[in-house]
């Protein structure tokens, strides 16, 4: 049964939302403004990210083998990367759907978008726990990079839900068309 072009467009709404969520999370995890910490002794504000620490004089990359990194910091990094990779796979699956018009690719895209949202959520939660534990006596605030990843998480999950219901509706319409012939 050929796919209805109007339904094809509706099937692309959810994955498009997932793609926008992926962009937000990618920007968020790549920039060093997850948390701002003001050190009271030196009155210096540090901006801490998953990969860099920035002070007024400049930014320094955080090496993976740094002895100061805790397992939760490493876990946050890992979940951020896995969130990007699963989101990218969701976008790739929807490109396959566009070019091959097989509903399975839309379904896979929806599932991978949900996985991406879940992984980003774990990254965000682990980061919040890490900062809370590390900055017990120091004032801190989460920055725009953290917020970007939160928005990416929300959009990935929302896009997956939209994609799931679009896929389901399309699938049900296909069964009705087959049953009525």
């Amino acid at each position: 049964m050929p796919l209805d072009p109007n339904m094809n467009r509706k099937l692309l709404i959810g994955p498009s939302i997932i793609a926008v969520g992926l962009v937000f999370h990618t920007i968020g995890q790549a920039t060093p403004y997850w948390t701002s910490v003001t050190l009271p002794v030196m009155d210096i504000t540090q901006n801490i990210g998953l990969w860099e620490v920035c002070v007024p004089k400049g930014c320094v990359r955080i090496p993976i083998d740094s002895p100061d990194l805790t397992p939760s910091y490493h876990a946050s990094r890992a979940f951020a990367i896995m969130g990007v990779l699963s989101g990218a796979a969701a976008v790739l699956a929807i490109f396959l759907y566009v070019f091959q018009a097989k509903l399975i690719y839309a379904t896979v895209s929806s599932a991978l978008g949900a996985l991406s949202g879940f992984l980003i959520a774990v990254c965000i939660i682990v980061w919040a726990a890490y900062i809370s534990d590390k900055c017990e006596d120091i004032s801190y605030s989460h920055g725009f990079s953290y917020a970007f990843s939160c928005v990416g998480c929300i959009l990935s999950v929302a896009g997956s839900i939209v994609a799931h219901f679009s896929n389901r509706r399309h699938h049900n319409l296909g069964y009705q068309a087959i049953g009525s012939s």
Side-chain angles (χ1 to χ4, degrees):
M1 176 178 79
L3 297 173
D4 176 24
N6 289 331
M7 195 52 150
N8 279 347
R9 279 187 233 113
K10 289 179 184 174
L11 284 171
L12 293 177
I13 293 170
S16 297
I17 296 170
I18 294 169
V20 171
L22 174 64
V23 169
F24 270 94
H25 175 60
T26 302
I27 291 169
Q29 69 106 19
T31 53
Y33 299 99
W34 275 60
T35 304
S36 293
V37 177
T38 303
L39 303 173
V41 175
M42 297 177 266
D43 198 31
I44 295 175
T45 300
Q46 283 185 336
N47 292 306
I48 304 169
L50 296 174
W51 314 105
E52 291 181 315
V53 174
C54 294
V55 293
K57 292 183 180 181
C59 296
V60 176
R61 287 292 228 186
I62 303 169
I64 197 151
D65 60 349
S66 174
D68 297 332
L69 299 183
T70 63
S72 58
Y73 196 101
H74 287 295
S76 192
R77 282 179 160 185
F79 280 108
I81 292 170
M82 289 187 292
V84 168
L85 293 175
S86 59
V91 172
L92 176 66
I94 206 58
F95 277 121
L96 291 172
Y97 167 74
V98 167
F99 292 114
Q100 296 190 1
K102 292 184 179 176
L103 193 58
I104 188 69
Y105 293 126
T107 305
V108 167
S109 177
S110 173
L112 287 170
L115 176 63
S116 178
F118 172 76
L119 293 169
I120 296 167
V122 171
C123 166
I124 290 166
I125 292 167
V126 170
W127 179 264
Y130 165 76
I131 289 298
S132 174
D133 185 46
K134 199 75 168 167
C135 301
E136 283 181 38
D137 302 329
I138 303 170
S139 74
Y140 67 90
S141 63
H142 292 294
F144 75 88
S145 299
Y146 184 82
F148 269 34
S149 285
C150 290
V151 169
C153 173
I154 292 166
L155 289 174
S156 292
V157 171
S160 297
I161 292 169
V162 169
H164 172 73
F165 285 111
S166 294
N167 294 345
R168 201 168 154 183
R169 183 165 185 252
H170 182 75
H171 191 67
N172 289 342
L173 289 175
Y175 280 130
Q176 290 172 359
I178 292 170
S180 64
S181 23

